[in-house]
Amino acid sequence: MSALIFFENIRKSYRLGGVDIHALDGVNLSIHQNEFVALMGPSGSGKSTLMNILGCLDSPTSGKYALNGKDVGSMRDWQLSEIRNTEIGFVFQSFNLLPRMSSLDNVALPLVYAGVSSKQRQNRAQELLELVGLGDRLKNKPNQLSGGQRQRVAIARALANKPSLVLADEPTGNLDSTTAQEIMEILTKVNAQGNTIVVVTHEREVAEYAQRIIHLKDGCIEHHEVLTKKH
């Protein structure tokens, strides 16, 4: 397996009230293609900062970040935007769906920005909604769906542009335990089809769907935990 994500001595510092805050303090990390990884750690451990840098939503203060062979650590904002649109799919705790759009149109939205034709967009969106078990909910708007169904739409949207990496930030945080299990089983299925998945979670039950758990503390990787038991 080749490294999809490569961090070398990544640091991120903020100036807050005249004090330097070291959110990440020399992180070295490799995540391989088709891996399923969970990030865990207490509040303030740096996992949100790490997720933001992984997703090209923020840039490191220093160090090297390569995604799919591209050095993104030193890219300009417009280049980072392009990487986010083509290489990364995002799944958020709050779903972030557009309320006036149908499931089909929500999933197709990233393809609009990518310049894909209307017919191809509709076909791809329908294919993805069928993948997540919502082939019968194409025309439903978010307020006509349960929380679990909304998160399924969000997962389908994250896959629209065939990204190298899917980042899921607390994807089960707003869901009951049964629905959370269903969502994690879908992410496991997506991973089995070749997508690299990184999940940020504070729930051990969620993290155990991954192949590896990266434990963060005080801006550093405390240890890696390789899981042999799969769901």
Side-chain angles (χ1 to χ4, degrees), residues 147-168:
Q149 288 171 331
R150 278 180 248 174
Q151 194 60 294
R152 287 171 186 244
V153 174
I155 292 169
R157 181 187 57 192
L159 297 172
N161 276 327
K162 300 181 181 178
S164 306
L165 173 65
V166 175
L167 293 178

PDB file of all heavy atoms in Angstrom, residues 147-168:
ATOM      1  N   GLY A 147     -32.774  11.544  10.829  1.00  0.00           N
ATOM      2  CA  GLY A 147     -31.364  11.922  10.985  1.00  0.00           C
ATOM      3  C   GLY A 147     -30.428  10.944  10.306  1.00  0.00           C
ATOM      4  O   GLY A 147     -29.470  11.335   9.640  1.00  0.00           O
ATOM      5  N   GLY A 148     -30.724   9.658  10.453  1.00  0.00           N
ATOM      6  CA  GLY A 148     -29.881   8.648   9.810  1.00  0.00           C
ATOM      7  C   GLY A 148     -29.936   8.729   8.302  1.00  0.00           C
ATOM      8  O   GLY A 148     -28.923   8.562   7.617  1.00  0.00           O
ATOM      9  N   GLN A 149     -31.134   8.990   7.769  1.00  0.00           N
ATOM     10  CA  GLN A 149     -31.268   9.123   6.312  1.00  0.00           C
ATOM     11  C   GLN A 149     -30.523  10.358   5.819  1.00  0.00           C
ATOM     12  O   GLN A 149     -29.895  10.330   4.759  1.00  0.00           O
ATOM     13  CB  GLN A 149     -32.744   9.188   5.932  1.00  0.00           C
ATOM     14  CG  GLN A 149     -33.472   7.854   6.085  1.00  0.00           C
ATOM     15  CD  GLN A 149     -34.974   7.979   5.926  1.00  0.00           C
ATOM     16  OE1 GLN A 149     -35.569   9.026   6.222  1.00  0.00           O
ATOM     17  NE2 GLN A 149     -35.612   6.912   5.475  1.00  0.00           N
ATOM     18  N   ARG A 150     -30.585  11.443   6.574  1.00  0.00           N
ATOM     19  CA  ARG A 150     -29.850  12.659   6.183  1.00  0.00           C
ATOM     20  C   ARG A 150     -28.349  12.393   6.135  1.00  0.00           C
ATOM     21  O   ARG A 150     -27.649  12.873   5.243  1.00  0.00           O
ATOM     22  CB  ARG A 150     -30.154  13.790   7.157  1.00  0.00           C
ATOM     23  CG  ARG A 150     -31.459  14.514   6.853  1.00  0.00           C
ATOM     24  CD  ARG A 150     -31.715  15.622   7.828  1.00  0.00           C
ATOM     25  NE  ARG A 150     -32.871  15.294   8.655  1.00  0.00           N
ATOM     26  CZ  ARG A 150     -33.281  16.015   9.686  1.00  0.00           C
ATOM     27  NH1 ARG A 150     -32.628  17.106  10.045  1.00  0.00           N
ATOM     28  NH2 ARG A 150     -34.333  15.656  10.375  1.00  0.00           N
ATOM     29  N   GLN A 151     -27.863  11.624   7.117  1.00  0.00           N
ATOM     30  CA  GLN A 151     -26.432  11.334   7.120  1.00  0.00           C
ATOM     31  C   GLN A 151     -26.062  10.416   5.956  1.00  0.00           C
ATOM     32  O   GLN A 151     -24.976  10.534   5.389  1.00  0.00           O
ATOM     33  CB  GLN A 151     -26.008  10.712   8.463  1.00  0.00           C
ATOM     34  CG  GLN A 151     -24.509  10.676   8.698  1.00  0.00           C
ATOM     35  CD  GLN A 151     -23.865  12.051   8.692  1.00  0.00           C
ATOM     36  OE1 GLN A 151     -23.822  12.743   7.659  1.00  0.00           O
ATOM     37  NE2 GLN A 151     -23.355  12.468   9.839  1.00  0.00           N
ATOM     38  N   ARG A 152     -26.976   9.551   5.547  1.00  0.00           N
ATOM     39  CA  ARG A 152     -26.730   8.721   4.360  1.00  0.00           C
ATOM     40  C   ARG A 152     -26.611   9.600   3.109  1.00  0.00           C
ATOM     41  O   ARG A 152     -25.765   9.363   2.246  1.00  0.00           O
ATOM     42  CB  ARG A 152     -27.866   7.711   4.171  1.00  0.00           C
ATOM     43  CG  ARG A 152     -27.866   6.573   5.179  1.00  0.00           C
ATOM     44  CD  ARG A 152     -29.140   5.759   5.063  1.00  0.00           C
ATOM     45  NE  ARG A 152     -29.238   4.756   6.097  1.00  0.00           N
ATOM     46  CZ  ARG A 152     -29.248   3.439   5.890  1.00  0.00           C
ATOM     47  NH1 ARG A 152     -29.170   2.973   4.659  1.00  0.00           N
ATOM     48  NH2 ARG A 152     -29.342   2.598   6.892  1.00  0.00           N
ATOM     49  N   VAL A 153     -27.485  10.600   3.008  1.00  0.00           N
ATOM     50  CA  VAL A 153     -27.406  11.543   1.884  1.00  0.00           C
ATOM     51  C   VAL A 153     -26.053  12.256   1.917  1.00  0.00           C
ATOM     52  O   VAL A 153     -25.397  12.433   0.883  1.00  0.00           O
ATOM     53  CB  VAL A 153     -28.562  12.564   1.931  1.00  0.00           C
ATOM     54  CG1 VAL A 153     -28.379  13.633   0.836  1.00  0.00           C
ATOM     55  CG2 VAL A 153     -29.913  11.869   1.764  1.00  0.00           C
ATOM     56  N   ALA A 154     -25.624  12.651   3.125  1.00  0.00           N
ATOM     57  CA  ALA A 154     -24.343  13.358   3.263  1.00  0.00           C
ATOM     58  C   ALA A 154     -23.174  12.469   2.837  1.00  0.00           C
ATOM     59  O   ALA A 154     -22.213  12.945   2.214  1.00  0.00           O
ATOM     60  CB  ALA A 154     -24.157  13.821   4.706  1.00  0.00           C
ATOM     61  N   ILE A 155     -23.243  11.185   3.165  1.00  0.00           N
ATOM     62  CA  ILE A 155     -22.190  10.250   2.745  1.00  0.00           C
ATOM     63  C   ILE A 155     -22.185  10.112   1.221  1.00  0.00           C
ATOM     64  O   ILE A 155     -21.131  10.139   0.582  1.00  0.00           O
ATOM     65  CB  ILE A 155     -22.374   8.875   3.426  1.00  0.00           C
ATOM     66  CG1 ILE A 155     -22.105   8.995   4.929  1.00  0.00           C
ATOM     67  CG2 ILE A 155     -21.444   7.829   2.801  1.00  0.00           C
ATOM     68  CD1 ILE A 155     -22.516   7.768   5.734  1.00  0.00           C
ATOM     69  N   ALA A 156     -23.382   9.984   0.644  1.00  0.00           N
ATOM     70  CA  ALA A 156     -23.480   9.894  -0.820  1.00  0.00           C
ATOM     71  C   ALA A 156     -22.894  11.144  -1.477  1.00  0.00           C
ATOM     72  O   ALA A 156     -22.148  11.049  -2.458  1.00  0.00           O
ATOM     73  CB  ALA A 156     -24.940   9.712  -1.229  1.00  0.00           C
ATOM     74  N   ARG A 157     -23.203  12.314  -0.926  1.00  0.00           N
ATOM     75  CA  ARG A 157     -22.656  13.568  -1.468  1.00  0.00           C
ATOM     76  C   ARG A 157     -21.130  13.592  -1.363  1.00  0.00           C
ATOM     77  O   ARG A 157     -20.432  14.062  -2.279  1.00  0.00           O
ATOM     78  CB  ARG A 157     -23.257  14.760  -0.711  1.00  0.00           C
ATOM     79  CG  ARG A 157     -22.772  16.121  -1.212  1.00  0.00           C
ATOM     80  CD  ARG A 157     -23.262  17.247  -0.321  1.00  0.00           C
ATOM     81  NE  ARG A 157     -22.833  17.044   1.056  1.00  0.00           N
ATOM     82  CZ  ARG A 157     -23.291  17.736   2.091  1.00  0.00           C
ATOM     83  NH1 ARG A 157     -24.205  18.675   1.914  1.00  0.00           N
ATOM     84  NH2 ARG A 157     -22.855  17.494   3.308  1.00  0.00           N
ATOM     85  N   ALA A 158     -20.600  13.093  -0.248  1.00  0.00           N
ATOM     86  CA  ALA A 158     -19.140  13.076  -0.058  1.00  0.00           C
ATOM     87  C   ALA A 158     -18.432  12.238  -1.112  1.00  0.00           C
ATOM     88  O   ALA A 158     -17.270  12.474  -1.433  1.00  0.00           O
ATOM     89  CB  ALA A 158     -18.808  12.556   1.340  1.00  0.00           C
ATOM     90  N   LEU A 159     -19.156  11.259  -1.676  1.00  0.00           N
ATOM     91  CA  LEU A 159     -18.554  10.353  -2.657  1.00  0.00           C
ATOM     92  C   LEU A 159     -18.730  10.823  -4.099  1.00  0.00           C
ATOM     93  O   LEU A 159     -18.211  10.197  -5.028  1.00  0.00           O
ATOM     94  CB  LEU A 159     -19.180   8.962  -2.510  1.00  0.00           C
ATOM     95  CG  LEU A 159     -18.957   8.250  -1.171  1.00  0.00           C
ATOM     96  CD1 LEU A 159     -19.801   6.988  -1.100  1.00  0.00           C
ATOM     97  CD2 LEU A 159     -17.483   7.930  -0.967  1.00  0.00           C
ATOM     98  N   ALA A 160     -19.447  11.927  -4.282  1.00  0.00           N
ATOM     99  CA  ALA A 160     -19.871  12.338  -5.622  1.00  0.00           C
ATOM    100  C   ALA A 160     -18.714  12.472  -6.615  1.00  0.00           C
ATOM    101  O   ALA A 160     -18.795  11.990  -7.747  1.00  0.00           O
ATOM    102  CB  ALA A 160     -20.655  13.644  -5.555  1.00  0.00           C
ATOM    103  N   ASN A 161     -17.641  13.121  -6.205  1.00  0.00           N
ATOM    104  CA  ASN A 161     -16.517  13.371  -7.113  1.00  0.00           C
ATOM    105  C   ASN A 161     -15.437  12.293  -7.066  1.00  0.00           C
ATOM    106  O   ASN A 161     -14.313  12.527  -7.494  1.00  0.00           O
ATOM    107  CB  ASN A 161     -15.900  14.745  -6.809  1.00  0.00           C
ATOM    108  CG  ASN A 161     -16.640  15.870  -7.503  1.00  0.00           C
ATOM    109  OD1 ASN A 161     -17.164  15.693  -8.592  1.00  0.00           O
ATOM    110  ND2 ASN A 161     -16.696  17.035  -6.863  1.00  0.00           N
ATOM    111  N   LYS A 162     -15.798  11.127  -6.516  1.00  0.00           N
ATOM    112  CA  LYS A 162     -14.853  10.008  -6.403  1.00  0.00           C
ATOM    113  C   LYS A 162     -13.555  10.458  -5.726  1.00  0.00           C
ATOM    114  O   LYS A 162     -12.458  10.361  -6.308  1.00  0.00           O
ATOM    115  CB  LYS A 162     -14.571   9.397  -7.784  1.00  0.00           C
ATOM    116  CG  LYS A 162     -15.826   8.867  -8.464  1.00  0.00           C
ATOM    117  CD  LYS A 162     -15.542   8.249  -9.825  1.00  0.00           C
ATOM    118  CE  LYS A 162     -16.823   7.745 -10.476  1.00  0.00           C
ATOM    119  NZ  LYS A 162     -16.612   7.187 -11.814  1.00  0.00           N
ATOM    120  N   PRO A 163     -13.672  10.943  -4.487  1.00  0.00           N
ATOM    121  CA  PRO A 163     -12.504  11.504  -3.802  1.00  0.00           C
ATOM    122  C   PRO A 163     -11.496  10.437  -3.397  1.00  0.00           C
ATOM    123  O   PRO A 163     -11.841   9.255  -3.238  1.00  0.00           O
ATOM    124  CB  PRO A 163     -13.118  12.161  -2.554  1.00  0.00           C
ATOM    125  CG  PRO A 163     -14.328  11.324  -2.265  1.00  0.00           C
ATOM    126  CD  PRO A 163     -14.874  10.959  -3.618  1.00  0.00           C
ATOM    127  N   SER A 164     -10.249  10.851  -3.212  1.00  0.00           N
ATOM    128  CA  SER A 164      -9.216   9.960  -2.692  1.00  0.00           C
ATOM    129  C   SER A 164      -9.454   9.662  -1.219  1.00  0.00           C
ATOM    130  O   SER A 164      -9.079   8.604  -0.717  1.00  0.00           O
ATOM    131  CB  SER A 164      -7.833  10.610  -2.837  1.00  0.00           C
ATOM    132  OG  SER A 164      -7.593  10.997  -4.151  1.00  0.00           O
ATOM    133  N   LEU A 165     -10.063  10.636  -0.515  1.00  0.00           N
ATOM    134  CA  LEU A 165     -10.173  10.593   0.939  1.00  0.00           C
ATOM    135  C   LEU A 165     -11.560  11.037   1.380  1.00  0.00           C
ATOM    136  O   LEU A 165     -12.083  12.036   0.884  1.00  0.00           O
ATOM    137  CB  LEU A 165      -9.111  11.534   1.547  1.00  0.00           C
ATOM    138  CG  LEU A 165      -9.139  11.793   3.048  1.00  0.00           C
ATOM    139  CD1 LEU A 165      -8.828  10.519   3.829  1.00  0.00           C
ATOM    140  CD2 LEU A 165      -8.132  12.896   3.396  1.00  0.00           C
ATOM    141  N   VAL A 166     -12.167  10.284   2.304  1.00  0.00           N
ATOM    142  CA  VAL A 166     -13.421  10.701   2.929  1.00  0.00           C
ATOM    143  C   VAL A 166     -13.128  11.018   4.397  1.00  0.00           C
ATOM    144  O   VAL A 166     -12.640  10.157   5.141  1.00  0.00           O
ATOM    145  CB  VAL A 166     -14.509   9.608   2.829  1.00  0.00           C
ATOM    146  CG1 VAL A 166     -15.760  10.025   3.602  1.00  0.00           C
ATOM    147  CG2 VAL A 166     -14.854   9.330   1.370  1.00  0.00           C
ATOM    148  N   LEU A 167     -13.410  12.251   4.802  1.00  0.00           N
ATOM    149  CA  LEU A 167     -13.228  12.692   6.188  1.00  0.00           C
ATOM    150  C   LEU A 167     -14.584  12.789   6.852  1.00  0.00           C
ATOM    151  O   LEU A 167     -15.464  13.520   6.378  1.00  0.00           O
ATOM    152  CB  LEU A 167     -12.542  14.060   6.231  1.00  0.00           C
ATOM    153  CG  LEU A 167     -11.096  14.140   5.749  1.00  0.00           C
ATOM    154  CD1 LEU A 167     -10.604  15.582   5.831  1.00  0.00           C
ATOM    155  CD2 LEU A 167     -10.192  13.236   6.576  1.00  0.00           C
ATOM    156  N   ALA A 168     -14.766  12.075   7.946  1.00  0.00           N
ATOM    157  CA  ALA A 168     -16.036  12.087   8.670  1.00  0.00           C
ATOM    158  C   ALA A 168     -15.796  12.625  10.081  1.00  0.00           C
ATOM    159  O   ALA A 168     -15.102  11.995  10.886  1.00  0.00           O
ATOM    160  CB  ALA A 168     -16.624  10.684   8.724  1.00  0.00           C
TER     161      ALA A 168
END
